[in-house]
Amino acid sequence: MAQKRVLSIQSHVVHGYVGNKASVFPLQLLGFDVDVVNSVHFSNHTGHPHGFEGDVLNGEQLRAILNGLERNGLLEGTGHLLTGYIGSASFLRAVLDVLKTLRRVAKSKDSTNDSHVRYVCDPVMGDAGKFYVPQELVAIYRDEVIPLADVVTPNQFEVEQLTGIVVKNIADAKRACQALHSFGPDLVFITSIMLEDDQTSQGEKIENEAESIAIIASRRIRHTPNTEEFEMWQIDSPIIPGRFTGTGDLCAALLLGHTAMEPGNLPASMEKVIGTMFSVIKRTSESSMPGSIASMELKLIQSKQDIESPPSLFKARKVL
């Protein structure tokens, strides 16, 4: 079955694989047409030692692009909105205008539930205790953006900023997921989290691996307007040493694709996402050179087969 088109609003780099460069190719391999808005157009990602050059799209420019698409009837058939790094409050609020317009256009063409435009929001704010966006975006994400999202994909730092809950163990993770569900999204996918009480006994952890990272997926299932239940799944993955850029962008894109293709099977989607992620990062690590940031760019093209046919490396276990 043909999948609905994706509108992806993320950063773009000429060299490397972050933002749209890390998201569009995998989605296309999974069978999705993708319309692309580049929130920035940079020479390279910002982690390179000698800086970067390029331009930044502002909110009014984004609205102008939206108007051009709508006038030409080109928003019809869009079923998904994907967003990643957004560096300013004005652009973030312009993204909300895009979402509202997409949903209005879809509803005007089809009033059934099939017309809903699904919003996958990666609330990129920082990592490892450090912000790389203005801190004012935390409240905007929490109060304005995430309530309109269907799927949210934060890392541990972002979860803690959004919920105020310090996540140290699985009980904390459950509380944090419930808090995020209460904001609006039915699917919460914590892309990376270090748990102090980590217990990996499912035979998936590579032997002699010193550390693992947990990935948590929590879904709210609505049976009736007043009846709902929750399911939560966990995968523990060995940590591959190194600092890799674009992994969150790739993860959000894969999650969008697999959950759209298998909407009722969260553990299967999760296993495919993490199987591909681990394979891409491992391949990147194996070909990287010490001290070379350029060599740490994700090996997406070389991982084409792992994206199209995710390897079965991990088994999700139910924790709720």
Side-chain angles (χ1 to χ4, degrees), residues 240 244 276-288 295 297-307 311:
I240 300 174
F244 306 95
T276 296
M277 289 293 302
F278 184 83
S279 299
V280 172
I281 296 171
K282 185 172 184 288
R283 181 173 290 108
T284 304
S285 175
E286 290 171 346
S287 64
S288 65
S295 72
E297 299 283 4
L298 294 179
K299 298 298 182 284
L300 276 190
I301 306 304
Q302 298 85 343
S303 302
K304 176 178 179 291
Q305 183 174 347
D306 292 324
I307 296 169

Side-chain angles (χ1 to χ4, degrees), residues 2 10 48 50 85 180 245 247 301-302 307-308:
Q10 299 191 68
H48 282 264
H50 302 296
Y85 174 82
L180 289 168
T245 55
T247 53
I301 306 304
Q302 298 85 343
I307 296 169
E308 292 178 308

Side-chain angles (χ1 to χ4, degrees), residues 98-174:
V98 172
L99 176 62
K100 292 171 184 176
T101 300
L102 287 172
R103 287 179 171 170
R104 172 176 54 77
V105 169
K107 196 170 185 61
S108 70
K109 299 298 179 182
D110 182 357
S111 61
T112 68
N113 287 335
D114 289 339
S115 68
H116 179 69
V117 175
R118 185 167 175 252
Y119 178 25
V120 178
C121 172
D122 183 4
V124 179
M125 294 183 290
D127 198 6
K130 180 182 178 180
F131 278 98
Y132 34 75
V133 300
Q135 292 190 31
E136 66 177 308
L137 297 194
V138 175
I140 298 174
Y141 270 115
R142 184 187 62 235
D143 300 335
E144 302 177 42
V145 179
I146 293 177
L148 296 178
D150 301 279
V151 182
V152 62
T153 64
N155 60 30
Q156 183 169 1
F157 174 77
E158 292 154 355
V159 167
E160 294 176 345
Q161 294 300 318
L162 289 166
T163 67
I165 298 170
V166 177
V167 181
K168 294 184 177 181
N169 52 50
I170 192 63
D172 295 335
K174 290 177 180 178

Side-chain angles (χ1 to χ4, degrees), residues 11 56 71 73 103 138 151 160 167 174 186 205 208 229 233 236 245 256 271 292 297 302 317:
S11 59
V56 178
R71 282 200 314 271
R103 287 179 171 170
V138 175
V151 182
E160 294 176 345
V167 181
K174 290 177 180 178
D186 284 338
K205 188 173 181 178
N208 298 324
E229 64 176 307
W233 300 83
D236 298 300
T245 55
L256 185 160
E271 290 162 8
S292 170
E297 299 283 4
Q302 298 85 343
R317 69 179 186 271

Side-chain angles (χ1 to χ4, degrees), residues 4-10 27 34-35 37 62 66 75 78-84 86 92 94-103 116-122 145 148-151 252 256:
K4 292 184 177 180
R5 195 164 63 250
V6 177
L7 176 61
S8 180
I9 305 175
Q10 299 191 68
L27 282 168
V34 186
D35 290 341
V37 175
L62 176 60
L66 176 70
L75 298 179
T78 300
H80 310 273
L81 174 65
L82 173 63
T83 62
I86 294 170
L92 187 52
V95 167
L96 289 180
D97 290 341
V98 172
L99 176 62
K100 292 171 184 176
T101 300
L102 287 172
R103 287 179 171 170
H116 179 69
V117 175
R118 185 167 175 252
Y119 178 25
V120 178
C121 172
D122 183 4
V145 179
L148 296 178
D150 301 279
V151 182
L256 185 160

